[in-house]
């Protein structure tokens, strides 16, 4: 498939599918020194199997996580609802916001087995959430007593995997020496993005990326069994796994006659199986094969509307002064994120990166055809072509990096404070 070309890689050169693979040589070392973990820590965490660029990414990941934790700590002490309070709320309570309650209730009681629940259908529309994260929560909770801490630990581990996988994905698009810079830069752009708090909270974004990005890397190396299996795990977490499955299918068709093995095509259907199994499970309890979709409609106004209707409704929410300023500001962010997504889609079409085009088009269609836009800024975390394109662009135009960090980092701080203070953050 075509390379992400901002700027174009030198003609006639192809980058290795994954410079960190064991059967390929390490990346050429560029100037400067990378972050290194102490040798005992590296051996314990098996980090000695990672190359220098991967370890740099993990160093950036830890630093940005420390920054988020410090922001949340300050929020606990300085942004309490009661200005006369003499005691700060518990640190973990600040993370138990919004959708987290759904994930914890599902992990604790399932979708339909909560004591005292009227009838079989849940009154809080919890069917709208796929079971991947609640299942992981239930497993971790067997050794971690706090549900909230279990969610934070899952996201912490998954986020590290996602950051390294994104870095390796970005390194596919430039020669080795330059790729050593573009990989950490793509990861950094993701980790300081405005909605990065959702990568740290007990939400689905980090876990989805931890499966989806390695699945994409496996597909680029023609390892279709691994790609299908990881894609299936991504689908257990979010419906976006089906969009990934479509992109994997396009990648398979474009892989080239000498690389495509039709006996591997069956693995492309595997990511759809968790969605089918979940629909069957809900139908068995509710009699409705579309219970997931109907829960989305009841709880989050995700009935189908044309894209222009969705835009107008969101515009009214942002600027008609009918909503509190906090909600209006988030509607404004929804509009900006949708514009960014459409521009990214146009760029991918121009460069004929058809697998990424399919992934982005399906994502934008799902988000842009509801009554109004909801959670589009959060969805940008899942748009790996965006972070790769920005990183490649910034390698040749250094001002892009400074401009992005100057804008994104303050917004990330603001949204972290908004989320942990219990206000709507998308």
């Amino acid at each position: 498939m075509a390379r992400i070309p901002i700027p174009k890689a030198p003609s006639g050169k192809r980058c290795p599918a994954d410079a960190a693979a064991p059967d390929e040589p390490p990346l050429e070392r560029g100037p400067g020194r990378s972050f290194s973990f102490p040798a005992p820590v590296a051996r314990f965490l098996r980090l000695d199997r990672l190359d220098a660029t991967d370890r740099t990414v993990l160093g950036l990941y830890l630093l940005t996580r420390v920054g988020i934790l410090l922001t949340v700590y300050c929020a606990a002490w300085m942004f309490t609802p009661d200005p006369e309070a003499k005691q700060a709320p518990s640190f973990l309570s600040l993370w138990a916001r919004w959708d987290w309650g759904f994930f914890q209730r599902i992990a604790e009681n399932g979708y339909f087995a909560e004591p005292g629940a009227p009838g079989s259908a849940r009154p809080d529309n919890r069917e709208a959430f796929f079971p991947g994260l609640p299942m992981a929560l239930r497993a971790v909770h067997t050794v971690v007593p706090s549900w909230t801490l279990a969610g934070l630990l899952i996201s912490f581990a998954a986020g590290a995997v996602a950051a390294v996988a994104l870095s390796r994905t970005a390194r596919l698009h430039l020669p080795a020496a330059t790729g050593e810079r573009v990989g950490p830069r793509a990861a950094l752009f993701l980790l300081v993005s405005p909605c990065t708090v959702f990568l740290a909270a007990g939400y689905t974004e980090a876990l989805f990326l931890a499966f989806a990005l390695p699945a994409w890397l496996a597909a680029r190396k023609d390892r279709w069994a691994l790609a299908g299996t990881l894609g299936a795990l991504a689908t257990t977490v979010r419906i976006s796994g089906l969009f990934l499955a479509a992109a994997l299918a396009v990648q398979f068709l474009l892989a080239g006659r000498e690389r495509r093995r039709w006996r591997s095509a069956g693995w492309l259907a595997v990511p759809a199986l968790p969605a089918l199994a979940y629909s069957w499970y809900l139908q068995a309890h509710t009699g409705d094969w579309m219970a997931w979709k109907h829960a989305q409609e009841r709880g989050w106004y995700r009935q189908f509307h044309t894209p222009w209707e969705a835009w107008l409704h969101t515009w009214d929410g942002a600027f008609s002064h009918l909503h509190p300023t906090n909600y209006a500001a988030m509607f404004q962010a929804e509009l900006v994120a949708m514009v960014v997504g459409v521009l990214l889609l146009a760029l991918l079409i121009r460069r004929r990166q058809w697998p990424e085009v399919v992934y982005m088009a399906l994502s934008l269609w799902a988000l842009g055809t509801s009554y109004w836009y909801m959670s589009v800024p959060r969805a940008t975390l899942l748009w790996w072509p965006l972070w790769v394109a920005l990183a490649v662009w910034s390698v040749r135009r250094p001002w892009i990096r400074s401009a992005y960090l100057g804008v994104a980092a303050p917004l990330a701080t603001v949204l972290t404070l908004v989320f942990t203070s219990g206000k709507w953050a998308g």
Side-chain angles (χ1 to χ4, degrees), residues 181 185 189 393-404:
R181 286 189 292 154
R185 195 162 295 189
F189 287 172
W393 192 13
S394 70
V395 166
R396 298 290 176 84
R397 293 173 173 81
W399 67 268
I400 296 294
R401 178 176 180 272
S402 300
Y404 175 83

Side-chain angles (χ1 to χ4, degrees), residues 190 192-199 330 377-381 411-412 415 425:
L190 169 68
V192 299
S193 61
C195 288
T196 187
V197 64
F198 292 104
L199 288 177
M330 289 312 305
R378 274 174 54 195
T380 62
L381 297 171
L411 289 176
L415 282 180

Side-chain angles (χ1 to χ4, degrees), residues 168-213:
R168 293 184 178 186
T169 300
R171 287 155 59 183
L172 300 177
H173 301 279
L174 288 176
T178 309
E180 189 179 61
R181 286 189 292 154
V182 79
R185 195 162 295 189
L188 177 63
F189 287 172
L190 169 68
L191 296 174
V192 299
S193 61
C195 288
T196 187
V197 64
F198 292 104
L199 288 177
Y203 273 53
T204 58
E205 281 75 12
L207 189 59
F208 175 81
L209 288 174
F211 294 132
L213 286 172

Side-chain angles (χ1 to χ4, degrees), residues 9 19 27 119 136 138 150 200 282 384:
L27 287 176
R138 195 174 185 90
L282 294 180
W384 80 84

Side-chain angles (χ1 to χ4, degrees), residues 59-98:
L60 291 172
Y61 180 73
L62 290 178
L63 289 174
T64 56
R65 298 313 90 182
V66 168
I68 288 180
L69 294 179
L70 287 175
T71 303
V72 177
Y73 177 83
C74 292
W77 285 88
M78 302 176 67
F79 293 91
T80 58
D82 181 7
E84 301 299 325
K86 300 298 189 295
Q87 184 174 356
S90 70
F91 180 82
L92 291 178
S93 69
L94 300 182
W95 294 99
R97 305 295 189 186
W98 299 99

